[in-house]
Amino acid sequence: MTARISTVIAALALLAIAAGAAAADGPKVSQAWARATAPGVDVGAAYLTIDGGAADDILVSAGTARATMVHLHTVEESGGVAKMRAVEGIKVPAGKRVVLAPKGTHVMLMGLSKPLVAGESFPLELLFAKAGAVGVTVLVRAAGADAPPPAPR
Ligand SMILES: [Cu+2]
């Protein structure tokens, strides 16, 4: 009986190590930021840099307590008009850098509980198909701010 329990514990420990190892070589997320929003505006966008891990992965969703709904969007131009479109997932090929930035792919925040104010930060959880959940801190920059300089690889 005791031997059996310790076998189970050993198996669980191995699983935990395997999960840790998988996360360690999964995608790395950096430079998470958003632009401040005007009072009364309840939508915003978060941008970030994802460096692909050892295997191809897909960012499938994101969530934050600051917004009631979070979608992944791309921007497409049709007839000279830029339009946002929801995407099922954002591919993150192994070893490749994917940058979510203004006028391109972004994490759409809808139903903001309060405006995003420059200088504050908030947690955002990203869910990858293989690597699972990855938490990042989004730094809010001024309304007209450009992307922060790229992180060293
Ligand atoms: Cu959008």
Side-chain angles (χ1 to χ4, degrees):
M1 184 65 185
T2 313
R4 186 162 175 193
I5 289 172
S6 55
T7 304
V8 169
I9 290 171
L12 286 176
L14 279 176
L15 276 177
I17 291 165
D25 57 14
K28 296 265 179 306
V29 183
S30 61
Q31 307 290 77
W33 68 289
R35 281 184 178 143
T37 57
V41 175
D42 73 346
V43 294
Y47 311 106
L48 40 92
T49 298
I50 309 169
D51 284 310
D56 292 350
D57 211 333
I58 301 172
L59 173 60
V60 288
S61 65
T64 172
R66 283 296 295 272
T68 55
M69 213 173 13
V70 180
H71 285 174
L72 303 176
H73 277 177
T74 58
V75 176
E76 283 177 355
E77 196 146 317
S78 78
V81 181
K83 276 190 177 167
M84 297 195 293
R85 184 173 69 83
V87 288
E88 292 274 306
I90 296 165
K91 285 182 185 163
V92 183
K96 290 266 160 33
R97 173 170 277 187
V98 176
V99 179
L100 278 60
K103 296 178 186 155
T105 310
H106 55 277
V107 178
M108 191 81 198
L109 309 171
M110 286 163 286
L112 291 172
S113 50
K114 54 184 190 294
L116 301 178
V117 179
E120 71 160 333
S121 59
F122 62 92
L124 179 72
E125 181 147 291
L126 304 170
L127 187 66
F128 289 92
K130 287 182 191 151
V134 174
V136 291
T137 299
V138 180
L139 179 65
V140 181
R141 297 161 69 92
D146 286 325
R153 301 193 78 148

